[in-house]
Amino acid sequence: MVYRGEVPAGLALDSTLPTLQGSFSFPVKYGYASVGRVVDVGTESTNWWRATWSSPLTRTKTATTVPATVVIRLPQELDPRIGVFAANVETALNALLDAAPRLGKELFVIGQGVVGLLVTQLVRRAGASLVITSDLYEKRRSCRDLAARTWLLIQQRRVSRSVCSR
Amino acid sequence: MTGGAGADVVIEASGQPHALDDAIAAAAQEGRVVVVSCTALSEPSWPLEAIFTASA
């Protein structure tokens, strides 16, 4: 939405992120999912951060200086590239907590973008007996192999009929 | 798919303008609908603001 300029220009950027300032009116430096290697630390930071992979919530840039408070230290065994999903996993986890799936329940996840895919894997791990997913784009059918059992192509808004079918 | 009952939980993560209608239609009675996405440039056919700001 930010990329397409669909966010109201008067809306303030997330005030909880110190690296973002101003509004959504263009040009805007925006982006909060990034992964990088810490090359230096300030005097108030501890040295063990140096040379570790981290996932700061920050503008997307090649090199950046951020407060230590917005940096998440990635586990050593994790592929650093996966760390870029940290912010989206936060969103997906919130969805999971709201969904409160119980063992054996049947869940339907609409949309298999980044967040939808993460939500699907989380509800699968939470013990859902059936996870149905759907998306507007045919090329996302292969995402079914990740966690869901059934995948539906959304056509003419009537995907709910399939979900409610016997 | 769900034995005719609908899904226990529906999670709307697409942001497509009419997806919320489908999400509610696909949910079972007393089922739960979770909205993760946001839509722009279109008005949802459900009064989301009233629903989400209503006291529990």
Side-chain angles (χ1 to χ4, degrees):
Chain A
M1 288 168 67
V2 176
Y3 174 73
R4 293 192 296 265
E6 292 176 3
V7 180
L11 196 68
L13 291 164
D14 190 341
S15 60
T16 60
L17 296 180
T19 52
L20 301 180
Q21 282 170 2
S23 73
F24 282 101
S25 60
F26 281 96
V28 54
K29 282 185 178 178
Y30 189 74
Y32 46 62
S34 59
V35 171
R37 193 184 283 275
V38 178
V39 292
D40 206 356
V41 294
T43 51
E44 290 179 18
S45 306
T46 48
N47 257 332
W48 55 261
W49 285 99
R50 207 185 300 270
T52 56
W53 286 94
S54 65
S55 177
L57 298 169
T58 182
R59 296 168 185 163
T60 308
K61 291 167 74 176
T62 305
T64 187
T65 304
V66 295
T69 49
V70 301
V71 175
I72 300 167
R73 193 187 191 196
L74 297 177
Q76 248 180 344
E77 62 274 17
L78 189 77
D79 181 338
R81 290 173 297 183
I82 296 177
V84 82
F85 294 117
N88 289 127
V89 167
E90 240 177 57
T91 305
L93 185 60
N94 269 313
L96 184 80
L97 293 174
D98 282 339
R102 298 196 169 83
L103 275 177
K105 291 292 182 182
E106 298 176 329
L107 278 88
F108 176 35
V109 183
I110 303 176
Q112 292 291 278
V114 173
V115 173
L117 283 169
L118 292 169
V119 166
T120 302
Q121 293 188 60
L122 287 178
V123 295
R124 191 67 179 161
R125 289 176 60 148
S129 67
L130 172 66
V131 182
I132 305 165
T133 55
S134 71
D135 197 272
L136 202 56
Y137 303 103
E138 172 64 31
K139 64 183 177 183
R140 290 181 176 167
R141 183 182 289 273
S142 60
C143 67
R144 177 185 55 185
D145 305 333
L146 284 174
R149 190 177 308 166
T150 310
W151 186 92
L152 300 167
L153 183 67
I154 296 179
Q155 286 171 322
Q156 298 164 353
R157 305 174 45 192
R158 289 270 53 99
V159 73
S160 56
R161 274 193 196 152
S162 303
V163 174
C164 296
S165 68
R166 294 187 178 276
Chain B
M1 303 184 131
T2 53
D8 299 305
V9 181
V10 182
I11 300 173
E12 193 332 70
S14 75
Q16 290 297 320
H18 300 292
L20 187 60
D21 292 344
D22 248 343
I24 292 168
Q29 280 192 27
E30 298 193 11
R32 184 175 291 208
V33 175
V34 179
V35 180
V36 195
S37 65
C38 37
T39 50
L41 308 178
S42 70
E43 284 294 317
S45 50
W46 296 82
L48 283 184
E49 199 175 332
I51 294 171
F52 289 145
T53 55
S55 54

